[in-house]
C-alpha cells in the first residue's frame, strides 16, 4: 500500500474516531463507548502501520 493511501486511510480513521467521540460526549452509553474504543483502536493501528513504514524507509535511505 502506498504511503498516500495509508495517510488517506488514517485520516478516515481520525474522522471516525472524532465522530465517535462526539457521539459519546452527547450520549455516554455503553454502546457509544464501545464504538469510541473501537474507532480509537483502529486509528492507533493505522498510526502504527505508518510509523513502521516510515522507520523502514529511513533505514533503507540511510
Amino acid at each position: 500500500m502506498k504511503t498516500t493511501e495509508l495517510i488517506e486511510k488514517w485520516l478516515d480513521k481520525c474522522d471516525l474516531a472524532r465522530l465517535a467521540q462526539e457521539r459519546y460526549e452527547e450520549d455516554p452509553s455503553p454502546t457509544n463507548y464501545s464504538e469510541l474504543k473501537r474507532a480509537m483502536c483502529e486509528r492507533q493501528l493505522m498510526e502504527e502501520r505508518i510509523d513502521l513504514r516510515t522507520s523502514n524507509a529511513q533505514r533503507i535511505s540511510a
Side-chain angles (χ1 to χ4, degrees), residues 7-24:
I7 292 170
E8 286 175 10
K9 280 192 165 197
W10 173 73
L11 290 172
D12 290 342
K13 300 296 181 182
C14 288
D15 288 341
L16 290 174
R18 182 183 47 78
L19 291 172
Q21 178 73 42
E22 290 172 2
R23 272 193 303 269
Y24 179 73

Side-chain angles (χ1 to χ4, degrees), residues 16-60:
L16 290 174
R18 182 183 47 78
L19 291 172
Q21 178 73 42
E22 290 172 2
R23 272 193 303 269
Y24 179 73
E25 288 173 359
E26 290 174 11
D27 176 20
S29 68
T31 301
N32 287 341
Y33 178 76
S34 295
E35 289 179 18
L36 172 60
K37 192 124 168 113
R38 180 186 49 78
M40 292 177 73
C41 286
E42 288 179 3
R43 182 185 68 189
Q44 183 178 6
L45 288 172
M46 287 304 300
E47 289 171 353
E48 290 172 3
R49 287 182 70 183
I50 290 169
D51 286 344
L52 281 173
R53 191 172 183 109
T54 302
S55 64
N56 286 338
Q58 288 174 349
R59 276 190 235 130
I60 291 170

